[in-house]
Amino acid sequence: MAILLIAEHDNAALKSATLSTVTAATQIGGDIDLLIVGSGCTAVADSAAKVPGVRKVLVADNAAYDHEIAENVADLIKGLASDYSHILSPATTNGKNFMPRVAALLDVGQISEIMSVESADTFKRPIYAGNAIATVQSLDAIKVITVRGTSFDPAAAEGGSASIETLSQVSDTGLSRLVSEELAKSDRPELTTAKVIVAGGRGMGDKAHFEMLDTLADKLGAAVGATRAAVDAGFVPNDYQIGQTGKVVAPELYIGVGLSGAIQHLAGMKDSKVIVAINKDEDAPIFQVADYGLVADLFEAVPELEKAL
Amino acid sequence: MKILVAVKRVIDYNVKVRVKADGSDVDLANVKMALNPFCEIAVEEAVRLKEQGKASEIVVVSIGQKTCEEQLRTALALGADRAIRVEVDSTPDALTIARLLAKVAEEDQPGLVLLGKQSIDSDNNQTGQMLAALMKRPQATFASEVQIDGDTLTVTREVDGGLQTLTLSLPAVVTTDLRLNEPRYASLPNIMKAKKKPLEVKSAADLGVTLTNKIKLISVAPPAERSAGIKVGSVAELVDKLRNEAKVIA
């Protein structure tokens, strides 16, 4: 049994979600090969080869794979699949984009966002915005799976010495092409891997008020997140969104400010270790999952909290 | 150009689901059902493209039992021209759904297929991508902006770090994200008119698809409950608890 794991990377290093997926692969058992696919991504191979437990690092570096265009990446993976019993990827937007395409090309099903490995063919995954946990079994010869990063501890990044193999085959379907990319710039930790997150909702009232959370976040070394309401109101960009349709986070400490705690938001944060809620409405649903709740006006409580730290 | 929109009947997004006592599935008896929110956005986008003169006909398709005709009628009331229901008596997995949709697409030859990015019940986020693969056509997932220019499609996608814009050659498959548009409400006259629009029922056998689920649901359980928290009286008390009890801040 061998596992092909498609790495999430930024052309320089592996993303933490990849290391969490390595842990999931280790629990399934078998030889693990890491596929680095992209354009100008060879620098990642060296760091990937140092991950303990990895047998081989495969590098597919070509302009056709720039920004991991789904059609071309899926075609490449399909060509490699016959050597593997499992194909895994982190459940990032990239993985979610190309993995179902891979599965359909292989004529197999896919299991999305697993949160635990029960056996080599049986997995647990959240359904209904995390309000139920399904145990599902794949009856297919090749199991195509995406892994929820926050459900598995990241594997060690150093200590291994895998061999590196450069793939020469190129899949260019010519079906789609990247025009541009607009990435939000942030010096703060990445939302999905941050140890502390400060999130704001509609109660923040205004874009300018989010600066209060920025200041608080900087003091805590935290990332800033938001609810859909805050994104729709234009307070923050969409990649701040935490929830069923945004990012799923599970930090050590999550501080929710001026947000009610709708089902769809809770789906993205209720596995946080400690949840703090600051809301002036004492009946807000967020207090039902908060370890520590403070019923207060956030415009007084947040500056006070920042001062106290 | 014809647009095919796939829609799904799901539990209303405001309902908190309960798991059946025997752990076989969630309990959907007597629960309010609705059009999946992402499918609503897909229908709205199709209607807007028709209003812009980019589309000539909108066909909505749903796979399920008779009850999902309710959601097809909703889509017709929102502006779709005709509907197709593919009769199945079980809950097919995403690949089977994609196979059925691929057959419908083969018969109807749409220039564009629109789907939601995920359904809020299974949370799979697979069908659109699988359908694109089976049709051997390009895909643009998590779309927040869609523009048609001749036989080229330009789509802005919501990705982890921000936004990404792609051009695709039509026919193509697009899955909608929340920020693509704000769906309209169906007006009463349109709801009445929708009752007269054509709705065709097909079986999986008509489409030549055998229903075989390769992803088997073993059991469903409620998530682990969080132990009840406490309310603190002041910021000072909160900081003290975080520092000395939870030990999550220095």
Side-chain angles (χ1 to χ4, degrees):
Chain A
M1 206 161 67
I3 300 172
L4 179 65
L5 196 160
I6 296 101
E8 178 84 17
H9 62 83
D10 59 6
N11 287 338
L14 293 177
K15 296 272 189 171
S16 163
T18 306
L19 297 173
S20 298
T21 308
V22 169
T23 303
T26 311
Q27 291 177 11
I28 292 168
D31 294 323
I32 302 168
D33 291 353
L34 271 189
L35 171 64
I36 314 285
V37 57
S39 175
C41 61
T42 44
V44 192
D46 292 331
S47 66
K50 292 192 188 109
V51 178
V54 174
R55 174 178 68 172
K56 211 162 45 171
V57 176
L58 307 173
V59 184
D61 187 350
N62 192 282
Y65 307 131
D66 192 21
H67 293 87
E68 300 186 39
I69 293 288
E71 293 78 2
N72 301 349
V73 170
D75 227 45
L76 169 78
I77 299 168
K78 186 201 169 193
L80 300 170
S82 59
D83 294 338
Y84 299 95
S85 60
H86 293 73
I87 303 177
L88 265 61
S89 138
T92 53
T93 46
N94 278 330
K96 288 176 180 179
N97 189 33
F98 60 69
M99 287 293 266
R101 193 168 177 109
V102 170
L105 291 176
L106 295 171
D107 197 31
V108 300
Q110 183 193 298
I111 299 182
S112 296
E113 291 220 26
I114 61 162
M115 50 196 290
S116 79
V117 175
E118 303 298 298
S119 73
D121 65 1
T122 307
F123 308 90
K124 285 199 165 130
R125 60 174 302 264
I127 53 173
Y128 292 88
N131 286 300
I133 309 300
T135 304
V136 291
Q137 185 183 19
S138 163
L139 306 177
D140 285 307
I142 301 178
K143 280 100 176 114
V144 176
I145 295 164
T146 62
V147 176
R148 177 172 278 201
T150 54
S151 299
F152 297 88
D153 292 329
E158 301 279 339
S161 56
S163 61
I164 298 175
E165 190 181 310
T166 306
L167 300 176
S168 55
Q169 65 266 45
V170 177
S171 297
D172 192 354
T173 58
L175 289 168
S176 74
R177 192 171 57 77
L178 183 95
V179 180
S180 63
E181 193 164 55
E182 202 182 303
L183 295 184
K185 286 184 191 72
S186 174
D187 300 332
R188 294 203 184 85
E190 209 180 314
L191 198 51
T192 49
T193 51
K195 292 239 182 309
V196 181
I197 291 175
V198 180
R202 201 198 313 263
M204 297 306 298
D206 194 340
K207 192 174 181 169
H209 296 151
F210 251 85
E211 282 169 20
M212 259 179 10
L213 298 191
D214 289 342
T215 325
L216 178 62
D218 288 341
K219 211 134 191 198
L220 287 162
V224 179
T227 64
R228 178 189 174 187
V231 175
D232 282 352
F235 300 169
V236 288
N238 66 284
D239 58 302
Y240 277 52
Q241 189 175 327
I242 296 171
Q244 184 182 16
T245 66
K247 295 193 169 89
V248 176
V249 300
E252 302 274 306
L253 171 63
Y254 167 98
I255 305 177
V257 181
L259 55 88
S260 66
I263 295 172
Q264 292 76 19
H265 183 69
L266 298 182
M269 47 60 78
K270 69 179 175 186
D271 290 330
S272 305
K273 201 164 147 233
V274 175
I275 298 175
V276 171
I278 301 175
N279 199 306
K280 63 181 173 190
D281 174 11
E282 60 178 315
D283 296 323
I286 187 72
F287 287 122
Q288 290 164 21
V289 299
D291 299 284
Y292 303 107
L294 176 63
V295 180
D297 184 342
L298 68 95
F299 295 103
E300 287 164 21
V302 172
E304 202 184 322
L305 176 58
E306 192 213 314
K307 238 175 271 163
L309 291 170
Chain B
M1 184 181 75
K2 195 187 284 183
I3 300 182
L4 182 69
V5 188
V7 299
K8 186 176 184 185
R9 173 183 168 90
V10 297
I11 192 165
D12 183 276
Y13 73 92
N14 281 311
V15 175
K16 186 142 199 266
V17 296
R18 282 185 321 271
V19 173
K20 283 184 188 167
D22 65 1
S24 60
D25 206 340
V26 296
D27 192 356
L28 294 181
N30 305 313
V31 170
K32 189 181 172 203
M33 303 296 278
L35 191 55
N36 180 45
F38 291 98
C39 301
E40 227 176 313
I41 293 169
V43 172
E44 174 66 28
E45 196 62 19
V47 174
R48 289 186 188 190
L49 288 167
K50 195 179 169 193
E51 286 167 350
Q52 290 165 25
K54 307 273 186 190
S56 51
E57 191 192 21
I58 301 168
V59 184
V60 281
V61 54
S62 192
I63 292 159
Q65 293 160 32
K66 185 145 179 75
T67 44
C68 77
E69 288 184 10
E70 208 182 301
Q71 279 62 48
L72 285 171
R73 291 288 173 202
T74 304
L76 292 170
L78 292 169
D81 298 294
R82 63 184 170 90
I84 300 168
R85 176 169 74 85
V86 180
E87 169 75 38
V88 289
D89 51 11
S90 57
T91 312
D93 60 24
L95 183 62
T96 310
I97 297 281
R99 278 203 194 104
L100 292 165
L101 292 174
K103 289 290 179 185
V104 172
E106 201 178 297
E107 286 182 4
D108 263 278
Q109 294 290 323
L112 176 65
V113 186
L114 285 167
L115 301 90
K117 81 162 175 183
Q118 75 193 62
S119 61
I120 60 162
D121 51 1
S122 58
D123 281 335
N124 272 325
N125 195 333
Q126 299 173 2
T127 308
Q129 295 89 315
M130 288 180 162
L131 175 61
L134 297 177
M135 292 172 67
K136 302 187 173 65
R137 295 307 308 164
Q139 67 185 50
T141 52
F142 326 139
S144 62
E145 204 183 325
V146 173
Q147 273 177 346
I148 296 177
D149 190 12
D151 54 8
T152 312
L153 183 71
T154 305
V155 179
T156 301
R157 306 177 56 229
E158 297 203 357
V159 295
D160 280 336
L163 298 170
Q164 181 188 78
T165 305
L166 298 176
T167 56
L168 325 171
S169 54
L170 290 170
V173 177
V174 171
T175 74
T176 63
D177 214 318
L178 278 177
R179 268 161 289 275
L180 181 57
N181 60 48
E182 199 164 316
R184 68 194 67 191
Y185 291 99
S187 67
L188 187 59
N190 285 343
I191 293 172
M192 300 310 289
K193 271 184 230 159
K195 291 184 178 173
K196 294 201 178 67
K197 289 186 179 176
L199 193 158
E200 188 187 352
V201 180
K202 293 181 182 198
S203 71
D206 292 342
L207 296 167
V209 175
T210 321
L211 303 177
T212 48
N213 274 10
K214 290 295 188 66
I215 305 290
K216 195 173 150 199
L217 182 65
I218 308 284
S219 63
V220 175
E225 291 275 334
R226 287 190 76 95
S227 49
I230 55 159
K231 287 222 172 99
V232 293
S234 67
V235 168
E237 193 188 338
L238 175 64
V239 172
D240 175 63
K241 294 278 187 198
L242 291 177
R243 230 172 232 150
N244 303 316
E245 194 178 273
K247 299 190 183 0
V248 282
I249 57 173

